[in-house]
Every structure is written in C-alpha cells, then in structure tokens.
Amino acid sequence: LNHSRPSEMLRTLLLATILLLLSSFVLGQDKLVFAHYMLWVPSTSDSVEGFQTDIQLAMSFGIDGFAINTADWSAVDWAIPRADKFWQAAQSFPTFKLFFSADMTNSLVNLPGDIVDMVTRYASSPNTMTVNGQIFLSTFVGQDVTFGYPTPQQGWQDAVVTPLQNQGISLYFVPFFGVWPSNVPPGQVGYPSEDQITGLYNQFTFITGLFQWIPWPYFYGNLQYANPINDYDYLSVSNQMKKVYMAPHSPWFSKHTTGDPTSDPNQVMGNYAGAGLWIERWLNLIDIQPEYVEIVTWNDYVEETYIGPATAPWGPNVTDFPHVAYMDLGQYFITAYKTGSFPSILQEKLYVFYRSSSKNAVACCDPIGPPANIQCLDDDIYIVTLLNQGASVTFTSGSNVQTFQMGSGLQNASMPFAVGSQSVQVSRNGATIGQTTFAMQISNDISVYNFNVFSEVLALY
C-alpha cells in the first residue's frame, strides 16, 4: 500500500507534544470506540431482536457503543418507537452504551424540544452513555443552527442546554460543529486551523469537546493519504482548553446519487486501496490516542461507509458488497488503541478487498453518469494477512495469477485485477491451509456505475 506518511521526525515531535498534553489531562481514561448508527435504516431489522444482533456483532469486534444518528424525532412516526426498541435491546448487554448524534439537517433544526426529549427519555437507562454523571450527546453539524435565537450559541444554550439543566441533567456535549477553511476548491472540505478550532470552543463555551467529520483524504493538493495533522490540531487545542476530542474513522466513501452539485453527490473521495486507509488511519489513531474514536459508519449505505451487515433492503449495490471484513480486521487495531499493544493472533486470517468492475468500464444505462475522481483509483485486488508464520498466497483474478510470500504479523499485497472469477489459495510447507472462490466476480459489462468495495474474510486452518 503506497501511502505517503509524514516524516518520522515530524511525527515524533508531534507525538511527544501530544503525549505531554495528554499526561496533564486524560491520562488513565478508558479508551472507547463507537460506531455511527443511522436510525432511519436499521442494518438488520426494525425489531428488538434485530438491534440485539447489531449490538452483539459490534461488541464481538471491540466496539463499545453506538452513536444513534437521527435528523427527526416527533416529526416522523418511526423515530421514537425505533429508538425505544434500540434501548430495550441494549438492556441485554449492560456494558454497551448508546447516545444520540443529533443530525441537524432536517426537522430537528426547528424543534430543539425534540433534542431535549431525546436526552431525557433515556436519561435513567444504564445503557445511556454517561461520563461522571453527565449524559453524552453529539451532533452532525449544527454550528449555524439558532433555533430562532439571535446566535447559534444562544440557541443551543437557551433551547437545549438550559432546559436540560432545569430538569437536573448535565450534558457531556461533544458535537461535530464544522468549520471550513476558505482556501479549498468549491465543493471540497479542508482541514480547519487551530485558530478555527479554538474559535469554536470560545463560541460554544458550554461544550465538553469536539468531534470532527474528516476521516477521508480528499481530492485536492496532496491529501491522498491518512494525514493525521487534523487530529493533532484538534487534540492539541482540546487539551489546552481542558476539553475532549473524539476522532473519526472510516473505511471507504463512494456516493452515486443525484442532487446539488456543490455537495458532490456523485463521487469517490479518494484512492483508499482496499483496506489501505483503514489500516493507515488506525495506526495514526493508535499513535495519537484520542479520548474516543467514532467509526463513520455502521450503516450509511448511501455513502457506502458502512462496516455493519449489508442485509438492509437497499439493493444489490449493498447486499452484494459486504464490508464486515473491515470490522473483523479492525478488531486487531481496536485492541491496540485501547491497550497500547497489538493482540496475539489467535486465528490466522486472509482479507480481500476489490471492486466489481474497472474504473474504465462504461455503463450503458446510467442516468447519473460516472462519479468524479474515479481516474485516481487503481484496478487492483488488495490482500491483507494476519499470520503467526509465513505463508504463500496465490491469487487468481480472471486470467491473472500471482503468488505472494507473506510474512508473519500484519502483511499486505496487491495485484491488478482481471474480469472473471476471483479465488485464492494459501499454503504453508506444501500444505493448503485455506482456499476459496469469492462470491463477487469482476465484469466490465455494466449497466450502472458502482464503486463500492467487496470484502471478505478467509479463516485459515
């Protein structure tokens, strides 16, 4: 995986500064990993049993809770009963935590009382995420929402924070309040400066910390690798101001929809090389050690950032493209993030990631057209192994066959893909220890564009 990284000297200096700040503020605090769950599209089923399945799966891979995203509450007939079922499901898992990420893109913008109700409704539940008795609340944007007050800070204070305080509820408020630099191309998102981050804290003095929404490298300048400088800035400012920082992570981004061109509804965000971004960013977060990590997302099928089950009734562009390999591989890094040490490899595994067609394939019947930025992708198969001993991996992609000698520990390799079936054989000392033909074939005879990624896990024996 040919991702550039900051120089070792720069990384060492930055890390030393961060660790010094951390030692004065958050030393000893448990590290927690959450996943962003879209309430409007249950990943398994809209039932207590379905949410129990989601929770149990998340816990099995080291995820500590869900950030429940909803942009609506009383304005729709599904949100409250669905959230009730979610909290009921969580009762079977006492250590699993839930909190709301108030999505300020729809009716909540005009209904601050709904946010108050979201918090109070589950305030007494042992599954509600709290820190030192304060109820955890986050957002997706909202930095410009006034709720009818003269300023956003007065709106949030008087319409949300104070009404909750009047009911005896104190918030542990870690929103994503976005700030964007002005020197980036239209429709793109850049990294905010330390001064802008400081400005958010000075503007919203009642917040406990900040989340941010930029886990993906973007297509401008040279930001084509998992650059951690944004995390360093957020964590440095947060610690200086005695606040907390929740860092984002995400495996993929591909969106193929119509809409406002300025919001880039039809694009891939970057060349993430299968699990390349997933691995590189985990390594960054293990170095940086933010207080919390939120994986974006469990089940956003529109932007294809999901790590949860691809079983929602969303169509073959999701159901045929499982992402659970990201979550399975992520457990290795989650353990290191929480404990400071990578775990022993109890089960040797091979992971594979690839797309279902070439970036040069032309869709015959797609009214939207090809996504932006696809020219920067590679038509490759990406292989990752976790091994206790070296092994030989022979991958057959259509007419292409290549053998890799993979060492112990975490290793990766890639090769050009070809149309046809995709299969792998793993051997050690002349004996086969794993082989399979994957469910997804590669074909350039396509009717619509699809830049989602197929992933699979092969347990070795």
Side-chain angles (χ1 to χ4, degrees), residues 231-273:
D231 300 289
Y232 285 122
D233 289 344
Y234 266 93
L235 190 54
S236 175
V237 172
S238 296
N239 279 287
Q240 289 172 23
M241 304 193 74
K242 301 296 187 288
K243 304 288 186 178
V244 299
Y245 171 53
M246 183 160 64
H249 195 6
S250 188
W252 195 257
F253 188 108
S254 174
K255 193 172 184 179
H256 189 51
T257 59
T258 58
D260 181 358
T262 61
S263 64
D264 295 311
N266 184 30
Q267 68 163 338
V268 297
M269 284 289 199
N271 184 10
Y272 301 151

Short mmCIF file of all heavy atoms in Angstrom, two decimals, residues 231-273:
data_model
loop_
_atom_site.label_atom_id
_atom_site.label_comp_id
_atom_site.label_asym_id
_atom_site.label_seq_id
_atom_site.Cartn_x
_atom_site.Cartn_y
_atom_site.Cartn_z
N ASP A 231 -6.01 15.64 13.30
CA ASP A 231 -6.20 15.10 14.64
C ASP A 231 -5.27 15.77 15.65
O ASP A 231 -5.67 16.07 16.78
CB ASP A 231 -5.95 13.59 14.64
CG ASP A 231 -6.87 12.85 13.72
OD1 ASP A 231 -8.07 12.75 14.04
OD2 ASP A 231 -6.40 12.38 12.66
N TYR A 232 -4.02 15.98 15.24
CA TYR A 232 -3.08 16.66 16.13
C TYR A 232 -3.61 18.04 16.51
O TYR A 232 -3.54 18.45 17.68
CB TYR A 232 -1.71 16.81 15.46
CG TYR A 232 -0.91 15.54 15.38
CD1 TYR A 232 -0.48 15.05 14.15
CD2 TYR A 232 -0.53 14.85 16.53
CE1 TYR A 232 0.28 13.89 14.07
CE2 TYR A 232 0.22 13.70 16.46
CZ TYR A 232 0.63 13.22 15.23
OH TYR A 232 1.37 12.08 15.15
N ASP A 233 -4.16 18.76 15.54
CA ASP A 233 -4.67 20.11 15.82
C ASP A 233 -5.86 20.05 16.78
O ASP A 233 -5.92 20.81 17.75
CB ASP A 233 -5.07 20.80 14.52
CG ASP A 233 -3.87 21.18 13.67
OD1 ASP A 233 -2.75 21.20 14.20
OD2 ASP A 233 -4.06 21.46 12.47
N TYR A 234 -6.81 19.17 16.50
CA TYR A 234 -7.98 19.06 17.38
C TYR A 234 -7.58 18.64 18.78
O TYR A 234 -8.06 19.19 19.78
CB TYR A 234 -8.97 18.05 16.80
CG TYR A 234 -10.05 18.66 15.94
CD1 TYR A 234 -9.89 18.74 14.56
CD2 TYR A 234 -11.22 19.16 16.49
CE1 TYR A 234 -10.87 19.30 13.75
CE2 TYR A 234 -12.21 19.72 15.70
CZ TYR A 234 -12.03 19.80 14.34
OH TYR A 234 -13.00 20.35 13.54
N LEU A 235 -6.69 17.66 18.88
CA LEU A 235 -6.31 17.16 20.20
C LEU A 235 -5.47 18.17 20.96
O LEU A 235 -5.64 18.36 22.17
CB LEU A 235 -5.56 15.84 20.05
CG LEU A 235 -5.29 15.06 21.34
CD1 LEU A 235 -6.58 14.83 22.12
CD2 LEU A 235 -4.62 13.73 21.02
N SER A 236 -4.58 18.88 20.26
CA SER A 236 -3.76 19.89 20.91
C SER A 236 -4.62 21.01 21.49
O SER A 236 -4.48 21.37 22.67
CB SER A 236 -2.75 20.46 19.91
OG SER A 236 -2.01 21.52 20.48
N VAL A 237 -5.52 21.54 20.66
CA VAL A 237 -6.38 22.63 21.14
C VAL A 237 -7.30 22.13 22.24
O VAL A 237 -7.50 22.82 23.26
CB VAL A 237 -7.20 23.22 19.97
CG1 VAL A 237 -8.22 24.23 20.49
CG2 VAL A 237 -6.27 23.88 18.96
N SER A 238 -7.87 20.95 22.08
CA SER A 238 -8.80 20.42 23.08
C SER A 238 -8.12 20.27 24.43
O SER A 238 -8.68 20.62 25.48
CB SER A 238 -9.37 19.08 22.62
OG SER A 238 -10.15 19.24 21.45
N ASN A 239 -6.90 19.77 24.43
CA ASN A 239 -6.21 19.60 25.70
C ASN A 239 -5.79 20.93 26.31
O ASN A 239 -5.84 21.10 27.53
CB ASN A 239 -5.00 18.69 25.50
CG ASN A 239 -5.39 17.22 25.51
OD1 ASN A 239 -5.71 16.66 26.55
ND2 ASN A 239 -5.40 16.62 24.34
N GLN A 240 -5.40 21.88 25.48
CA GLN A 240 -5.06 23.20 26.00
C GLN A 240 -6.25 23.84 26.71
O GLN A 240 -6.08 24.56 27.70
CB GLN A 240 -4.59 24.11 24.87
CG GLN A 240 -3.23 23.76 24.29
CD GLN A 240 -2.92 24.57 23.05
OE1 GLN A 240 -3.47 25.65 22.83
NE2 GLN A 240 -2.03 24.05 22.21
N MET A 241 -7.45 23.55 26.20
CA MET A 241 -8.66 24.17 26.75
C MET A 241 -9.40 23.24 27.70
O MET A 241 -10.54 23.49 28.08
CB MET A 241 -9.57 24.62 25.60
CG MET A 241 -8.87 25.56 24.64
SD MET A 241 -9.96 26.41 23.49
CE MET A 241 -10.74 27.60 24.57
N LYS A 242 -8.72 22.15 28.11
CA LYS A 242 -9.29 21.18 29.04
C LYS A 242 -10.61 20.60 28.52
O LYS A 242 -11.59 20.46 29.23
CB LYS A 242 -9.50 21.82 30.43
CG LYS A 242 -8.22 22.34 31.05
CD LYS A 242 -7.25 21.19 31.33
CE LYS A 242 -6.03 21.65 32.10
NZ LYS A 242 -5.10 22.45 31.27
N LYS A 243 -10.59 20.26 27.23
CA LYS A 243 -11.73 19.65 26.57
C LYS A 243 -11.34 18.27 26.06
O LYS A 243 -10.19 17.85 26.18
CB LYS A 243 -12.21 20.52 25.39
CG LYS A 243 -12.55 21.97 25.77
CD LYS A 243 -13.83 22.07 26.57
CE LYS A 243 -14.22 23.51 26.79
NZ LYS A 243 -15.51 23.65 27.53
N VAL A 244 -12.29 17.55 25.48
CA VAL A 244 -12.02 16.21 24.96
C VAL A 244 -12.15 16.22 23.44
O VAL A 244 -12.82 17.06 22.86
CB VAL A 244 -12.97 15.16 25.57
CG1 VAL A 244 -12.80 15.10 27.08
CG2 VAL A 244 -14.42 15.43 25.19
N TYR A 245 -11.50 15.25 22.83
CA TYR A 245 -11.54 15.12 21.37
C TYR A 245 -11.99 13.71 21.01
O TYR A 245 -11.43 12.72 21.49
CB TYR A 245 -10.17 15.41 20.77
CG TYR A 245 -10.07 15.08 19.29
CD1 TYR A 245 -11.00 15.60 18.38
CD2 TYR A 245 -9.06 14.24 18.81
CE1 TYR A 245 -10.92 15.29 17.03
CE2 TYR A 245 -8.97 13.94 17.45
CZ TYR A 245 -9.91 14.46 16.57
OH TYR A 245 -9.83 14.16 15.23
N MET A 246 -13.00 13.62 20.15
CA MET A 246 -13.45 12.35 19.61
C MET A 246 -13.08 12.31 18.13
O MET A 246 -13.54 13.13 17.34
CB MET A 246 -14.96 12.17 19.79
CG MET A 246 -15.49 10.83 19.30
SD MET A 246 -17.10 10.37 20.01
CE MET A 246 -18.14 11.68 19.31
N ALA A 247 -12.22 11.36 17.76
CA ALA A 247 -11.68 11.28 16.40
C ALA A 247 -12.55 10.38 15.53
O ALA A 247 -13.09 9.38 16.01
CB ALA A 247 -10.25 10.76 16.42
N PRO A 248 -12.67 10.70 14.25
CA PRO A 248 -13.43 9.86 13.34
C PRO A 248 -12.55 8.82 12.65
O PRO A 248 -11.34 9.00 12.51
CB PRO A 248 -13.96 10.86 12.32
CG PRO A 248 -12.83 11.85 12.19
CD PRO A 248 -12.20 11.94 13.58
N HIS A 249 -13.18 7.75 12.22
CA HIS A 249 -12.51 6.79 11.35
C HIS A 249 -13.54 6.25 10.37
O HIS A 249 -14.73 6.22 10.66
CB HIS A 249 -11.89 5.66 12.16
CG HIS A 249 -10.89 4.85 11.39
ND1 HIS A 249 -10.48 5.17 10.12
CD2 HIS A 249 -10.23 3.70 11.71
CE1 HIS A 249 -9.60 4.27 9.70
NE2 HIS A 249 -9.43 3.37 10.64
N SER A 250 -13.07 5.82 9.21
CA SER A 250 -13.98 5.30 8.19
C SER A 250 -13.18 4.49 7.18
O SER A 250 -12.03 4.83 6.89
CB SER A 250 -14.72 6.43 7.48
OG SER A 250 -15.73 5.94 6.63
N PRO A 251 -13.78 3.43 6.63
CA PRO A 251 -13.01 2.59 5.70
C PRO A 251 -13.09 3.00 4.25
O PRO A 251 -12.18 2.69 3.47
CB PRO A 251 -13.67 1.22 5.88
CG PRO A 251 -15.10 1.54 6.18
CD PRO A 251 -15.07 2.80 7.00
N TRP A 252 -14.16 3.71 3.86
CA TRP A 252 -14.45 3.86 2.43
C TRP A 252 -15.40 5.03 2.24
O TRP A 252 -16.06 5.46 3.20
CB TRP A 252 -15.11 2.57 1.91
CG TRP A 252 -15.14 2.42 0.42
CD1 TRP A 252 -16.22 2.62 -0.40
CD2 TRP A 252 -14.07 2.03 -0.43
NE1 TRP A 252 -15.88 2.38 -1.71
CE2 TRP A 252 -14.55 2.01 -1.76
CE3 TRP A 252 -12.72 1.70 -0.20
CZ2 TRP A 252 -13.75 1.68 -2.85
CZ3 TRP A 252 -11.93 1.37 -1.28
CH2 TRP A 252 -12.43 1.35 -2.58
N PHE A 253 -15.49 5.55 1.04
CA PHE A 253 -16.53 6.52 0.70
C PHE A 253 -16.75 6.48 -0.80
O PHE A 253 -15.83 6.71 -1.58
CB PHE A 253 -16.15 7.95 1.11
CG PHE A 253 -17.27 8.95 0.95
CD1 PHE A 253 -17.92 9.45 2.06
CD2 PHE A 253 -17.67 9.38 -0.31
CE1 PHE A 253 -18.97 10.37 1.91
CE2 PHE A 253 -18.71 10.28 -0.46
CZ PHE A 253 -19.36 10.78 0.65
N SER A 254 -17.98 6.18 -1.19
CA SER A 254 -18.37 6.23 -2.58
C SER A 254 -19.85 6.56 -2.63
O SER A 254 -20.66 5.88 -1.99
CB SER A 254 -18.11 4.88 -3.27
OG SER A 254 -18.61 4.88 -4.60
N LYS A 255 -20.20 7.60 -3.35
CA LYS A 255 -21.59 8.06 -3.38
C LYS A 255 -22.01 8.26 -4.83
O LYS A 255 -21.31 8.91 -5.61
CB LYS A 255 -21.71 9.37 -2.60
CG LYS A 255 -23.13 9.79 -2.29
CD LYS A 255 -23.12 11.00 -1.35
CE LYS A 255 -24.52 11.40 -0.93
NZ LYS A 255 -24.50 12.54 0.01
N HIS A 256 -23.18 7.69 -5.18
CA HIS A 256 -23.65 7.75 -6.56
C HIS A 256 -25.12 8.12 -6.56
O HIS A 256 -26.00 7.27 -6.69
CB HIS A 256 -23.41 6.40 -7.24
CG HIS A 256 -23.67 6.41 -8.73
ND1 HIS A 256 -23.10 7.34 -9.57
CD2 HIS A 256 -24.42 5.60 -9.51
CE1 HIS A 256 -23.49 7.09 -10.81
NE2 HIS A 256 -24.31 6.05 -10.81
N THR A 257 -25.39 9.42 -6.36
CA THR A 257 -26.75 9.91 -6.28
C THR A 257 -26.84 11.22 -7.06
O THR A 257 -25.83 11.81 -7.45
CB THR A 257 -27.18 10.17 -4.83
OG1 THR A 257 -26.29 11.13 -4.23
CG2 THR A 257 -27.15 8.89 -4.00
N THR A 258 -28.06 11.68 -7.26
CA THR A 258 -28.27 12.98 -7.88
C THR A 258 -28.53 14.01 -6.80
O THR A 258 -28.87 13.67 -5.66
CB THR A 258 -29.46 12.94 -8.84
OG1 THR A 258 -30.63 12.52 -8.12
CG2 THR A 258 -29.21 11.99 -9.98
N GLY A 259 -28.38 15.26 -7.14
CA GLY A 259 -28.64 16.32 -6.17
C GLY A 259 -27.81 17.54 -6.46
O GLY A 259 -27.28 17.71 -7.57
N ASP A 260 -27.68 18.39 -5.48
CA ASP A 260 -26.94 19.64 -5.60
C ASP A 260 -25.48 19.35 -5.95
O ASP A 260 -24.77 18.69 -5.18
CB ASP A 260 -27.03 20.40 -4.27
CG ASP A 260 -26.31 21.75 -4.32
OD1 ASP A 260 -25.71 22.07 -5.38
OD2 ASP A 260 -26.35 22.47 -3.32
N PRO A 261 -24.99 19.82 -7.09
CA PRO A 261 -23.60 19.52 -7.47
C PRO A 261 -22.58 20.00 -6.45
O PRO A 261 -21.50 19.41 -6.32
CB PRO A 261 -23.43 20.25 -8.81
CG PRO A 261 -24.81 20.43 -9.34
CD PRO A 261 -25.69 20.59 -8.12
N THR A 262 -22.90 21.07 -5.71
CA THR A 262 -21.92 21.60 -4.75
C THR A 262 -21.72 20.65 -3.57
O THR A 262 -20.73 20.77 -2.86
CB THR A 262 -22.37 22.98 -4.22
OG1 THR A 262 -23.63 22.84 -3.54
CG2 THR A 262 -22.51 23.96 -5.37
N SER A 263 -22.67 19.74 -3.34
CA SER A 263 -22.50 18.78 -2.24
C SER A 263 -21.87 17.48 -2.71
O SER A 263 -21.76 16.53 -1.94
CB SER A 263 -23.85 18.49 -1.58
OG SER A 263 -24.72 17.85 -2.50
N ASP A 264 -21.44 17.44 -3.98
CA ASP A 264 -20.73 16.29 -4.53
C ASP A 264 -21.45 14.97 -4.28
O ASP A 264 -20.92 14.08 -3.62
CB ASP A 264 -19.31 16.22 -3.97
CG ASP A 264 -18.47 17.40 -4.41
OD1 ASP A 264 -18.45 17.69 -5.60
OD2 ASP A 264 -17.83 18.03 -3.55
N PRO A 265 -22.68 14.82 -4.78
CA PRO A 265 -23.41 13.59 -4.51
C PRO A 265 -22.96 12.41 -5.35
O PRO A 265 -23.42 11.30 -5.11
CB PRO A 265 -24.85 13.98 -4.86
CG PRO A 265 -24.70 14.98 -5.95
CD PRO A 265 -23.46 15.76 -5.60
N ASN A 266 -22.08 12.64 -6.32
CA ASN A 266 -21.67 11.57 -7.22
C ASN A 266 -20.15 11.58 -7.31
O ASN A 266 -19.55 12.17 -8.21
CB ASN A 266 -22.30 11.79 -8.61
CG ASN A 266 -21.99 10.66 -9.56
OD1 ASN A 266 -21.81 9.51 -9.15
ND2 ASN A 266 -21.91 10.96 -10.85
N GLN A 267 -19.49 10.89 -6.34
CA GLN A 267 -18.04 10.92 -6.31
C GLN A 267 -17.48 9.82 -5.43
O GLN A 267 -18.17 9.27 -4.58
CB GLN A 267 -17.54 12.27 -5.78
CG GLN A 267 -17.83 12.49 -4.30
CD GLN A 267 -16.99 13.60 -3.70
OE1 GLN A 267 -15.93 13.94 -4.22
NE2 GLN A 267 -17.46 14.18 -2.62
N VAL A 268 -16.22 9.50 -5.67
CA VAL A 268 -15.42 8.79 -4.70
C VAL A 268 -14.51 9.82 -4.04
O VAL A 268 -14.12 10.80 -4.67
CB VAL A 268 -14.61 7.65 -5.34
CG1 VAL A 268 -15.53 6.60 -5.92
CG2 VAL A 268 -13.66 8.17 -6.41
N MET A 269 -14.19 9.61 -2.78
CA MET A 269 -13.42 10.61 -2.04
C MET A 269 -11.91 10.48 -2.24
O MET A 269 -11.18 11.45 -2.14
CB MET A 269 -13.71 10.52 -0.54
CG MET A 269 -15.04 11.10 -0.15
SD MET A 269 -15.07 12.89 -0.28
CE MET A 269 -16.47 13.25 0.76
N GLY A 270 -11.45 9.25 -2.51
CA GLY A 270 -10.01 9.07 -2.62
C GLY A 270 -9.68 7.65 -3.00
O GLY A 270 -10.55 6.79 -3.06
N ASN A 271 -8.41 7.40 -3.27
CA ASN A 271 -7.94 6.06 -3.60
C ASN A 271 -7.53 5.38 -2.30
O ASN A 271 -6.39 5.51 -1.86
CB ASN A 271 -6.77 6.13 -4.57
CG ASN A 271 -6.32 4.75 -5.02
OD1 ASN A 271 -6.98 3.77 -4.75
ND2 ASN A 271 -5.19 4.69 -5.70
N TYR A 272 -8.45 4.63 -1.72
CA TYR A 272 -8.22 4.10 -0.37
C TYR A 272 -7.63 2.69 -0.38
O TYR A 272 -7.48 2.08 0.67
CB TYR A 272 -9.51 4.15 0.43
CG TYR A 272 -10.06 5.56 0.56
CD1 TYR A 272 -11.41 5.81 0.70
CD2 TYR A 272 -9.20 6.66 0.50
CE1 TYR A 272 -11.90 7.10 0.80
CE2 TYR A 272 -9.68 7.95 0.59
CZ TYR A 272 -11.03 8.17 0.74
OH TYR A 272 -11.51 9.45 0.83
N ALA A 273 -7.32 2.17 -1.57
CA ALA A 273 -6.51 0.96 -1.70
C ALA A 273 -7.02 -0.19 -0.84
O ALA A 273 -6.29 -0.77 -0.05
CB ALA A 273 -5.04 1.27 -1.36
#
